[in-house]
């Protein structure tokens, strides 16, 4: 990764954060909870994908349609996030596989 790639990545992230800050407060709160959840248990490809910008796109469409954030995702943020990443390998999957692969793990 070159310096230019790092600089470009920072520019993209700052633009992304600016889009989040332009959302109504309730959307911002839910987005931050989703981001926190996805960073903890989300897909391995999160950093290279379009998941977070896609969520902002979805939220911007909801705002434009005059919908509340709860109308879009429901009341369970974790369940909504789990549904988004259901077909992607997650860090939790990798961890579970590493535990299962440890010698003597099946003797417990």
């Amino acid at each position: 990764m070159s310096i230019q790639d790092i600089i470009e990545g920072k520019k993209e992230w700052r633009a992304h954060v600016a889009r989040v800050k332009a959302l109504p407060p309730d959307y911002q709160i839910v987005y931050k909870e989703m981001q926190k959840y996805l960073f903890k248990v989300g897909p391995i490809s999160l950093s290279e994908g379009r998941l977070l910008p896609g969520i902002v796109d979805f939220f911007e469409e909801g705002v434009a349609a005059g919908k509340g954030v709860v109308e879009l995702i429901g009341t369970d943020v974790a369940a909504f996030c789990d549904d988004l990443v259901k077909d992607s390998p997650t860090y939790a999957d990798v961890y579970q596989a590493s535990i299962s692969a440890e010698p003597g793990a099946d003797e417990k």
Side-chain angles (χ1 to χ4, degrees), residues 4-84:
Q4 192 60 33
D5 292 338
I6 294 170
I7 292 170
E8 191 60 37
K10 281 189 170 194
K11 285 180 184 178
E12 289 175 14
W13 182 253
R14 286 184 183 130
H16 174 78
V17 169
R19 288 178 63 204
V20 172
K21 288 182 179 180
L23 293 169
D26 56 337
Y27 277 85
Q28 288 181 44
I29 291 167
V30 171
Y31 174 83
K32 288 176 185 174
E33 289 303 312
M34 292 174 76
Q35 181 185 38
K36 191 184 325 179
Y37 182 81
L38 290 168
F39 281 164
K40 185 187 291 186
V41 297
I44 295 169
S45 62
L46 182 64
S47 62
E48 62 193 48
R50 292 264 319 141
L51 182 60
L52 293 176
I55 292 169
V56 176
D57 292 341
F58 180 61
F59 280 6
E60 288 172 340
E61 291 170 11
V63 170
K67 294 184 178 182
V69 70
V70 174
E71 288 180 79
L72 293 178
I73 70 160
T75 57
D76 191 342
V77 172
F80 183 82
C81 291
D82 287 343
D83 193 43
L84 286 176

